[in-house]
Amino acid sequence: MSHPMSHLMSRRTSRRARPRTAFRAFLATCLLAVTAGACGSERPETLVVLGPWTGPEGKAFEAMLHRLDDGTGKSYTYQGTRSLRETLGAQLEAGDPPDVAILNSVGELVEHARAGHLTPLDRAATARAYPPWAPRLDVDGGRRTYWVPMKVDLKSLVWSKEGTARDHPAWCVGLASQATSGWPGTDWIEDILLHQAGPATYTRWATGEVRWRDPRVRKAWTTWAELLGKRTKASIDRSLTTPYVGPRGLLDSQEPRCTHEHQSAFIRYVYAHDRVRVDPAAGYLGGRPEHDGAYEVAGDMAAVFSDDPAARALVDRLSGKRARTLWRARAADGLQPFFPDATDPQPTDPTGRRIAGILTAKARTLCFDASDVMPPGVRDAFHRAVLQYFGDPTVKRLDRLLAQLDTVRTEAAKDAAPGHMPESEVCAPPGG
C-alpha cells in the first residue's frame, strides 16, 4: 500500500490531536470527583516504556528505569513482552501507544516513521544515534533521527567448547523461535554474503538494490548448505523444531553430537558457567581475507511514540552513561548488555569483555543485520524461505525460493519512499 503525502499528514494530525486513553480516563475521574476536591489540574505523570525484555533481562532494565529520577516527579512504567510487534500494533490501533517503544527491527522503525507514528529525537539524543545503529531518515522532505540504540549485540561469532578442534566442525542448528522461526538461518546467509561479497554488496542487498537471484546471493545459500553437510531427515526435523537456545545451549545437546554454533553474542548467558571459546566467524565461512574485519550486528533501539517532550528527554537519558552504568550493575552474569561506544560501561566477564573489544574497537566495519533492515514483509518471507531450504536444499527448491523472494522484494520496492533506509548507513566503523 502506498502512503501519499496527504494521507500521511492526515494520519499524523489525527494522532497528535487525539488524547491518550489514560488521560481521557483521568479527566473522566476528575469530573466525577471535582466537588470533593480529589483531582488536580495536571495530567498523569507516568511515562510508559514498551520493550522486548522479560524475565531477568526485563527486571534488570526495569530496576534501572526506576532509578532514573530526573527531579520532575515523573515515574516510569515498563511493559515487557515477547510479542512486541503484535502488542505495539494493537496499542497503535487502539490509539493508545506507549510513550517509548524499544524495537530491534530497523525495517519496522522505518515503517513507523513513514506512517507518522514517531516523533523525531532532540539533538542531545541524536549525538548518540550514529550508523549503523540509528541512521538519519529522509521523511517528508526532512532528514531526521527517530531512534537511538539502547543495547547492541555482535553477530558473526562461532561458539565451541574449550578444547574442541577447530577443523571439520559439526554444526549445531536450532531454527525454532515461535513466530520468527528461521532467523538463525538468515543470520548464516547474511554472514556468509558479508564475508564472501563484502559490505558494499551486503548493503545493496539489504536495502533491496541487489536481487535475490544474483549469483553472489545464491552462492551464500549454497555455501550454507555445503557447510552444514549432508543431514538425515531426522536431523533436519530436529533442527526445525529445536529452539535456537536449545535445552541449555545447543553445544553437546543435539544428536548426533555437534561441536560448533554460529550465534550472536547474546547466547553467552546460556554458557555463562561453561568453559567455551568464541571466535570470529570469518574463519569458517569461506570468505575473502579482505572482509575478515567485517561483522554483522544487531541492536534494540528506543523510539518516541508520543508528543510529550518528557518522552524525548527520557530517551536521551536512557542512552546516557548513568543509565547504562545502572543497567549493567543490575544485570546478572551473561546478561550484562553491550553498548555501542568504547567509553560506555561494558560487561565484566572475560567473554563479554572480549566481545565488547571487537564490537567497539577491533572490528573494521559493523553491518546491521540485513533481515532487520529489510521491510517486514521481505524479512518474514526470508524467514520462511530459510526453513524450506533447510528442509530441502536442492537446486530446484532454491531457484523457486529465490524467485519468490524477488517477487516480494519488487512489491516492497513500490512502497519504499518516502522514508527509505539510506544505503550509506547500513555499515559503518565502530563508534560512528
Side-chain angles (χ1 to χ4, degrees):
M1 179 187 297
S2 61
H3 296 286
M5 185 76 69
S6 60
H7 180 53
L8 277 174
M9 291 303 293
S10 66
R11 290 183 66 178
R12 201 171 277 118
T13 301
S14 64
R15 177 177 70 88
R16 291 179 177 169
R18 181 175 55 231
R20 292 175 60 86
T21 301
F23 188 40
R24 290 199 299 267
F26 173 76
L27 290 177
T29 303
C30 286
L31 290 173
L32 291 173
V34 68
T35 57
C39 190
S41 60
E42 296 182 358
R43 62 178 294 171
E45 297 294 333
T46 298
L47 297 181
V48 177
V49 179
L50 178 69
W53 307 301
T54 60
E57 277 188 299
K59 290 179 180 178
F61 178 79
E62 188 170 18
M64 174 272 288
L65 189 64
H66 290 163
R67 290 290 302 274
L68 285 180
D69 180 10
D70 59 6
T72 66
K74 289 187 178 294
S75 60
Y76 309 114
T77 297
Y78 175 65
Q79 299 176 350
T81 175
R82 293 295 185 184
S83 303
L84 184 60
R85 185 181 182 187
E86 293 76 12
T87 300
L88 179 58
Q91 292 178 352
L92 287 167
E93 185 68 24
D96 192 24
D99 294 281
V100 174
I102 302 169
L103 294 82
N104 62 12
S105 170
V106 170
E108 289 181 20
L109 285 163
V110 170
E111 286 200 344
H112 285 304
R114 290 166 51 197
H117 298 155
L118 304 185
T119 300
L121 299 182
D122 293 334
R123 182 173 296 179
T126 61
R128 292 185 290 274
Y130 39 74
W133 313 108
R136 300 175 70 194
L137 297 185
D138 294 314
V139 179
D140 294 348
R143 175 163 279 201
R144 305 176 181 90
T145 300
Y146 288 89
W147 61 85
V148 67
M150 290 289 97
K151 62 182 286 288
V152 300
D153 266 308
L154 184 68
K155 298 196 171 188
S156 301
L157 296 174
V158 170
W159 301 76
S160 59
K161 293 290 181 72
E162 285 190 358
T164 303
R166 297 171 186 259
D167 298 335
H168 307 296
W171 292 104
C172 309
V173 183
L175 298 176
S177 183
Q178 299 182 0
T180 58
S181 291
W183 69 257
T186 68
D187 278 3
W188 267 103
I189 292 166
E190 292 158 4
D191 210 3
I192 292 169
L193 180 67
L194 175 62
H195 287 94
Q196 288 184 343
T201 298
Y202 175 96
T203 294
R204 295 185 65 239
W205 169 65
T207 54
E209 297 300 318
V210 170
R211 63 193 184 105
W212 290 84
R213 283 172 288 187
D214 183 285
R216 294 164 296 185
V217 179
R218 194 179 194 284
K219 183 181 178 183
W221 289 75
T222 57
T223 298
W224 182 42
E226 291 166 1
L227 288 172
L228 296 181
K230 188 173 182 180
R231 297 189 165 229
T232 65
K233 184 179 184 306
S235 173
I236 289 172
D237 290 344
R238 195 156 39 242
S239 289
L240 289 171
T241 57
T242 296
Y244 61 93
V245 293
R248 57 187 180 279
L250 295 177
L251 292 173
D252 295 333
S253 69
Q254 287 190 311
E255 292 295 337
R257 183 177 178 272
C258 60
T259 61
H260 291 69
E261 179 179 2
H262 178 271
Q263 190 53 272
S264 172
F266 81 87
I267 203 67
R268 82 188 198 285
Y269 84 90
V270 176
Y271 302 122
H273 303 293
D274 293 339
R275 297 178 64 84
V276 295
R277 184 179 69 228
V278 58
D279 298 303
Y284 294 88
L285 303 179
R288 299 168 63 178
E290 59 264 38
H291 304 317
D292 283 357
Y295 289 81
E296 188 179 10
V297 294
D300 296 294
M301 281 74 66
V304 176
F305 280 77
S306 81
D307 296 319
D308 189 339
R312 295 195 297 276
L314 173 60
V315 167
D316 176 35
R317 289 169 44 249
L318 283 173
S319 61
K321 185 163 293 186
R322 170 171 163 75
R324 290 173 172 174
T325 300
L326 289 170
W327 193 354
R328 182 187 65 179
R330 280 153 180 76
D333 289 345
L335 291 176
Q336 289 181 328
F338 296 99
F339 299 116
D341 195 277
T343 63
D344 290 328
Q346 299 292 351
T348 55
D349 62 284
T351 300
R353 287 200 304 269
R354 183 184 177 205
I355 293 171
I358 297 172
L359 184 62
T360 62
K362 293 182 180 179
R364 186 168 62 247
T365 304
L366 304 178
C367 293
F368 205 90
D369 182 297
S371 55
D372 285 341
V373 170
M374 296 171 184
V378 179
R379 175 201 62 198
D380 295 346
F382 190 11
H383 290 172
R384 293 190 296 271
V386 159
L387 296 173
Q388 294 178 56
Y389 182 65
F390 185 84
D392 180 21
T394 60
V395 171
K396 183 177 180 181
R397 172 57 64 92
L398 181 58
D399 288 342
R400 183 163 62 249
L401 291 172
L402 296 181
Q404 292 171 353
L405 287 166
D406 267 331
T407 298
V408 177
R409 162 184 162 270
T410 301
E411 290 300 312
K414 296 177 182 178
D415 193 30
H420 63 281
M421 175 77 175
E423 275 189 29
S424 61
E425 299 188 335
V426 174
C427 295

